Amino acid sequence: MKVNQFLLILSFEFLFLLFGESRSLSADDGNQVYIVYMGATDSTNGSLRNDHAYVLNTVLTRNKKALVHNYKYGFSGFAARLSKEEANTIAQHPGVVSVFPNPILKLHTTRSWDFLKSQNHIKTDSTFSNSSSSSNVVIGMLDTGIWPEAESFKDNGMGPIPPGWKGTCMTSPDFNTSNCNRKIIGARYYADGKNDGSKTVRDNDGHGTHTASTAAGNVVSGASYYGLATGTAKGGSPESRLAIYKVCTDGCSGATILAAFDDAISDGVDILSLSLGGPQDLKPDLTTNVVAIGAFHAVEHGILVVCAAGNNGPWPHSVTNDAPWILTVGATTIDRNFQSNIVLGNNKVVEGVAINFSPLSKSADYPLITGESAKLPTADSEDDLEDARHCHLDALDREKINGSIVICDGMNDTNFYYSTSLKVRVLQGMGALGLVHITDKEGAVPDNYGDFPATIVRPKDHATILQYLNSTSNPKATILPTTTVLDYKPAPMVAIFSSRGPSSLTKNIIKPDIAAPGGDILAAWTGTETDETYVPNGKLLSPYNIISGTSMSCPHVSGLAGSIKSKNPTWSPSAIKSAIMTSATQINNLKAPITTDLGPVATPYDYGAGEITTESFQPGLVYETTTMDYLNYMCYLGLNTTKIKVISKTVPKNFSCPKDSTPDYISNINYPSIAIPKFSSQGTVNVNRTVTNVGEVDETVYSATVVAPFGATVQLIPEKLQFTKSSKTLSYQVVFTSTFTSLKEDIFGSITWSNGKHSVRIPFALTV
């Protein structure tokens, strides 16, 4: 399905009253795919609701081949091929709420787990497994499939498949039943009828293999990417099983994503990991967001849903997958860097950052010029000189560029998107031997430039190069191939590409929720060349690849959640989510506050509660966000009681939305963070939170520490929480008072409960 398809949300009296009327269609004539969504199912055995069957039969009577997907396990509805007229007719049905375009979503390790353990503040009894033992936890991956032959997915030493597993292993000419095992226990694909790559679970992209091995890959020694990042590769939960749902081939169809959610709920997964999301300019509300719809039903069935925050940073309001029942993950760097240094003709070495396999000599034998000195003969204006300094294509003389290493200025370039990669293409096409890019705009996550010797130099080191250029009439240099640097400081930093808050849904909940390693992560790769595959001259295809994105940070959290679930099998999705968030760290390996990789100190809009740690195995206290919290959230956003009862299978019969529902009440749902919009205009705001003692000791006392920002006072009632055998759940009140008549910017603080062993921290945001 492509972008000209449409998504039809049809719900039995669901959201119709909110909008008052259905949305009109603007599709071209002809058959297209629509989704009919009808809220909760009546049962889990696959039987259809009467109204579901009626509408479906109406469609099939017209065209028996119209059905694409039938959603009947986790929620009710179907996807079908309809003409514009047929869709408009169905849209007039009393149960039809809205018709909207079917979104095509996009895809958003050796060192990272060791680094995360090193960030712990206390010694924990549990840690990531280093063996091939097995658990009954199943992590479902909605992605591009899997390359089952990778060492990360062998099942040596694993026990039998969990007895409650109901999934299947779908086969194709290139994927047979033996490709599933006791590690990969489920494999499903969703053929779109147009692309042969969608008719197999096999991953011909690499993305799905990379994320699956990051989440639950086995322990594999001697992993590397052509000698870089050498070490032992392992997933966050190597003892967990994998269920693969191939939902992305050319993009990720919303209808297919919903089908995978439906199957995963029926199959019996415990964790769902989605390293995908809509583009930045696609801001659907909860009623038109396929990930939010599928995730709500999954969470209602006891499944934790972990999603990537998106790669549209560092711009504010760019976070996606921000429904409160989703664990939304931003990306950070780790304490490993990749250096590609420059050797100048005077034997001075200047540090550069990049991944490349430079074929140049290690001696400084190559002409070194600046972009400005390679300007066209006709360049005479200051603008022309500026363009040449920045290495713009139409400002450079090809004869001067050919055979030289070129220094390009990126410090003052007003074109933020003229990246190192684009400059590589320009210079490579003009015969340059290499690129030295002087910039601080591209953050701390180096890209891969293959055999072309390209490297990034920070402005602080630019003076060394300029001094050398001015000291000789015949400057020479070389660019060395990349080497791996460990124990790099500072780390972590929030990656420049990681999408930022606040949420576009509501500023009453902080998003993203958490951050995890997502910069230059090494993990398993497909066995065939893809768009993101590079093979150096004379080398064979690597079974591992290094790539970056919140797509890489998401499975880190999914793997951590899988290990927590394995050791705490009765914990709810929200308990696991709380454990991960409240144990996060905000301190880097210099014992200083975590920053963004552009320099400023990070805020909860950058990393949520902070960077994950393995202290989440023993959180002490958890904040249980219940289904009732989520139902109230829907009320506060404007949905009414009737439609909410259609959405949820667990809503009590006597449930009703408060008559005075307002988004301000969202701040009061039992979430492991707090956000108060329009704070200064409200004067004083009270919110409540409830915590449950899950520590080793029943009788314990937690005392509070508040870090309050300038402009606010914060009072806790009570200031101590005394737990006993009969009082494992206690509540407290937070009173925020503004000391300013107005705020010029959002301010942040935190509340930490500690009993001497466990420290349970939640961030808060007081917004303009």
Side-chain angles (χ1 to χ4, degrees):
M1 291 171 285
K2 302 299 181 184
V3 292
N4 65 334
Q5 298 169 336
F6 282 77
L7 185 68
L8 171 63
I9 296 287
L10 184 154
S11 170
F12 185 66
E13 295 186 15
F14 162 38
L15 298 174
F16 181 74
L17 298 178
L18 174 64
F19 293 105
E21 60 182 1
S22 60
R23 300 176 187 174
S24 61
L25 291 173
S26 59
D28 295 333
D29 290 333
N31 286 347
Q32 298 160 44
V33 175
Y34 297 82
I35 296 174
V36 180
Y37 169 57
M38 306 183 71
T41 57
D42 285 339
S43 66
T44 58
N45 62 8
S47 61
L48 302 184
R49 282 175 21 186
N50 291 337
D51 53 344
H52 178 167
Y54 173 77
V55 178
L56 177 60
N57 287 334
T58 300
V59 171
L60 295 181
T61 298
R62 299 176 182 178
N63 180 2
K64 294 186 180 299
K65 297 182 179 180
L67 185 65
V68 176
H69 297 297
N70 198 8
Y71 314 130
K72 56 184 179 177
Y73 299 107
F75 46 90
S76 184
F78 58 90
R81 293 184 177 89
L82 305 170
S83 68
K84 177 181 177 181
E85 290 74 19
E86 289 171 331
N88 275 323
T89 298
I90 294 176
Q92 304 310 311
H93 189 280
V96 174
V97 178
S98 60
V99 179
F100 60 94
N102 177 27
I104 303 300
L105 279 61
K106 61 182 180 180
L107 297 166
H108 280 187
T109 103
T110 52
R111 183 72 181 177
S112 54
W113 298 112
D114 293 333
F115 172 60
L116 290 174
K117 287 190 287 185
S118 74
Q119 291 294 94
N120 284 0
H121 298 120
I122 62 173
K123 184 176 181 180
T124 55
D125 296 332
S126 299
T127 187
F128 296 103
S129 172
N130 286 316
S131 67
S132 298
S133 61
S134 57
S135 79
N136 288 336
V137 172
V138 183
I139 301 176
M141 309 294 301
L142 273 63
D143 215 295
T144 65
I146 197 164
W147 194 265
E149 292 83 6
E151 287 293 319
S152 296
F153 308 127
K154 302 301 182 186
D155 64 355
N156 298 338
M158 301 196 78
I161 292 173
W165 177 246
K166 300 177 183 178
T168 188
C169 184
M170 296 176 64
T171 61
S172 59
D174 63 356
F175 195 98
N176 55 46
T177 54
S178 65
N179 291 132
C180 289
N181 54 22
R182 290 169 295 183
K183 166 62 77 173
I184 305 171
I185 65 172
R188 293 182 184 269
Y189 65 85
Y190 302 87
D192 59 18
K194 300 177 183 179
N195 190 314
D196 288 341
S198 71
K199 299 173 184 177
T200 175
V201 183
R202 183 166 292 278
D203 179 16
N204 292 309
D205 178 273
H207 192 275
T209 300
H210 199 280
T211 56
S213 62
T214 302
N218 296 328
V219 178
V220 183
S221 61
S224 78
Y225 177 65
Y226 302 112
L228 297 178
T230 301
T232 298
K234 56 180 176 291
S237 184
E239 71 275 14
S240 290
R241 320 301 180 117
L242 284 165
I244 307 303
Y245 301 87
K246 185 175 180 178
V247 298
C248 302
T249 306
D250 292 330
C252 312
S253 160
T256 298
I257 290 169
L258 282 176
F261 269 114
D262 191 44
D263 286 335
I265 292 168
S266 175
D267 290 345
V269 303
D270 299 289
I271 314 287
L272 278 173
S273 186
L274 286 81
S275 289
L276 51 83
Q280 184 176 3
D281 57 351
L282 180 65
K283 296 290 187 181
D285 59 29
L286 291 176
T287 69
T288 61
N289 187 324
V290 292
V291 174
I293 291 168
F296 174 80
H297 291 288
V299 170
E300 199 175 26
H301 284 81
I303 301 168
L304 176 65
V305 180
V306 185
C307 293
N311 297 332
N312 293 310
W315 315 119
H317 298 281
S318 56
V319 63
T320 62
N321 297 323
D322 48 351
W325 42 83
I326 293 171
L327 180 49
T328 310
V329 187
T332 53
T333 65
I334 61 174
D335 66 337
R336 178 181 63 202
N337 201 14
F338 297 105
Q339 286 187 0
S340 174
N341 295 339
I342 303 101
V343 180
L344 302 175
N346 60 3
N347 291 324
K348 286 191 175 181
V349 178
V350 178
E351 182 179 304
V353 178
I355 297 175
N356 71 59
F357 302 91
S358 171
L360 301 180
S361 166
K362 293 185 178 181
S363 300
D365 298 332
Y366 309 97
L368 178 67
I369 63 172
T370 64
E372 184 175 359
S373 66
K375 63 182 175 56
L376 290 168
T378 56
D380 51 12
S381 70
E382 182 56 37
D383 286 343
D384 291 339
L385 295 177
E386 189 77 1
D387 287 347
R389 281 194 289 271
H390 297 147
C391 296
H392 290 195
L393 173 63
D394 55 359
L396 299 175
D397 187 326
R398 182 182 295 269
E399 290 186 6
K400 297 176 182 177
I401 294 294
N402 187 44
S404 297
I405 295 172
V406 185
I407 302 169
C408 297
D409 184 358
M411 292 184 291
N412 300 310
D413 196 341
T414 56
N415 185 353
F416 186 90
Y417 297 100
Y418 193 32
S419 66
T420 305
S421 295
L422 291 178
K423 292 182 182 182
V424 164
R425 294 181 190 177
V426 168
L427 295 178
Q428 199 169 19
M430 300 179 80
L433 293 181
L435 164 65
V436 176
H437 194 196
I438 314 295
T439 182
D440 57 2
K441 289 185 175 182
E442 296 191 23
V445 179
D447 286 332
N448 187 343
Y449 306 112
D451 279 325
F452 189 77
T455 191
I456 290 175
V457 171
R458 301 305 175 198
K460 65 182 178 63
D461 296 316
H462 189 200
T464 302
I465 299 176
L466 287 179
Q467 185 178 21
Y468 167 68
L469 287 171
N470 293 330
S471 70
T472 178
S473 60
N474 186 29
K476 298 288 185 73
T478 191
I479 298 175
L480 301 178
T482 300
T483 58
T484 305
V485 177
L486 301 180
D487 299 317
Y488 182 82
K489 294 178 175 63
M493 295 182 284
V494 179
I496 188 173
F497 56 78
S498 185
S499 289
R500 307 304 213 268
S503 168
S504 59
L505 278 174
T506 173
K507 290 185 75 172
N508 295 81
I509 290 180
I510 296 174
K511 288 286 181 171
D513 293 306
I514 199 72
D520 287 325
I521 302 302
L522 180 100
W525 198 246
T526 181
T528 185
E529 292 191 32
T530 75
D531 290 341
E532 288 196 67
T533 299
Y534 175 75
V535 182
N537 290 332
K539 301 287 186 178
L540 299 176
L541 181 66
S542 172
Y544 299 91
N545 201 1
I546 297 173
I547 55 176
S548 300
T550 55
S551 282
M552 286 61 255
S553 55
C554 173
H556 274 86
V557 176
S558 303
L560 176 58
S563 282
I564 295 171
K565 179 72 173 179
S566 177
K567 295 169 177 61
N568 303 278
T570 63
W571 281 15
S572 68
S574 67
I576 298 173
K577 179 177 181 178
S578 173
I580 292 172
M581 290 176 63
T582 60
S583 61
T585 183
Q586 304 77 42
I587 303 300
N588 63 25
N589 57 1
L590 290 175
K591 308 303 180 185
I594 293 173
T595 66
T596 71
D597 65 2
L598 295 181
V601 172
T603 76
Y605 290 162
D606 300 313
Y607 59 21
E611 170 92 343
I612 62 170
T613 73
T614 58
E615 292 177 26
S616 50
F617 287 107
Q618 297 171 306
L621 306 176
V622 295
Y623 293 77
E624 288 272 12
T625 314
T626 64
T627 300
M628 188 62 68
D629 283 310
Y630 299 139
L631 299 180
N632 284 329
Y633 169 83
M634 295 180 191
C635 290
Y636 303 150
L637 279 186
L639 281 70
N640 64 31
T641 303
T642 301
K643 45 201 173 218
I644 290 174
K645 285 187 174 180
V646 175
I647 298 173
S648 174
K649 70 182 183 67
T650 59
V651 60
K653 291 184 179 180
N654 61 350
F655 173 84
S656 63
C657 288
K659 292 182 180 179
D660 59 344
S661 289
T662 168
D664 290 341
Y665 291 172
I666 294 173
S667 301
N668 218 38
I669 72 171
N670 201 44
Y671 208 76
S673 64
I674 300 173
I676 311 292
K678 301 177 182 178
F679 170 62
S680 58
S681 64
Q682 298 189 56
T684 297
V685 180
N686 295 7
V687 298
N688 294 295
R689 288 295 185 270
T690 299
V691 288
T692 301
N693 180 17
V694 295
E696 313 80 17
V697 180
D698 290 328
E699 296 186 354
T700 185
V701 177
Y702 279 80
S703 300
T705 301
V706 176
V707 177
F710 183 71
T713 61
V714 182
Q715 180 185 7
L716 295 184
I717 307 173
E719 295 180 348
K720 293 182 183 293
L721 298 175
Q722 185 163 350
F723 293 92
T724 66
K725 291 183 179 180
S726 59
S727 300
K728 296 183 71 67
T729 298
L730 297 174
S731 298
Y732 65 93
Q733 184 181 69
V734 191
V735 182
F736 296 97
T737 303
S738 173
T739 59
F740 286 159
T741 55
S742 64
L743 286 178
K744 294 183 179 180
E745 60 182 8
D746 296 352
I747 55 178
F748 307 93
S750 65
I751 299 167
T752 303
W753 292 97
S754 178
N755 68 347
K757 179 177 182 180
H758 302 291
S759 290
V760 183
R761 177 190 180 276
I762 63 170
F764 62 78
L766 308 176
T767 73
V768 175

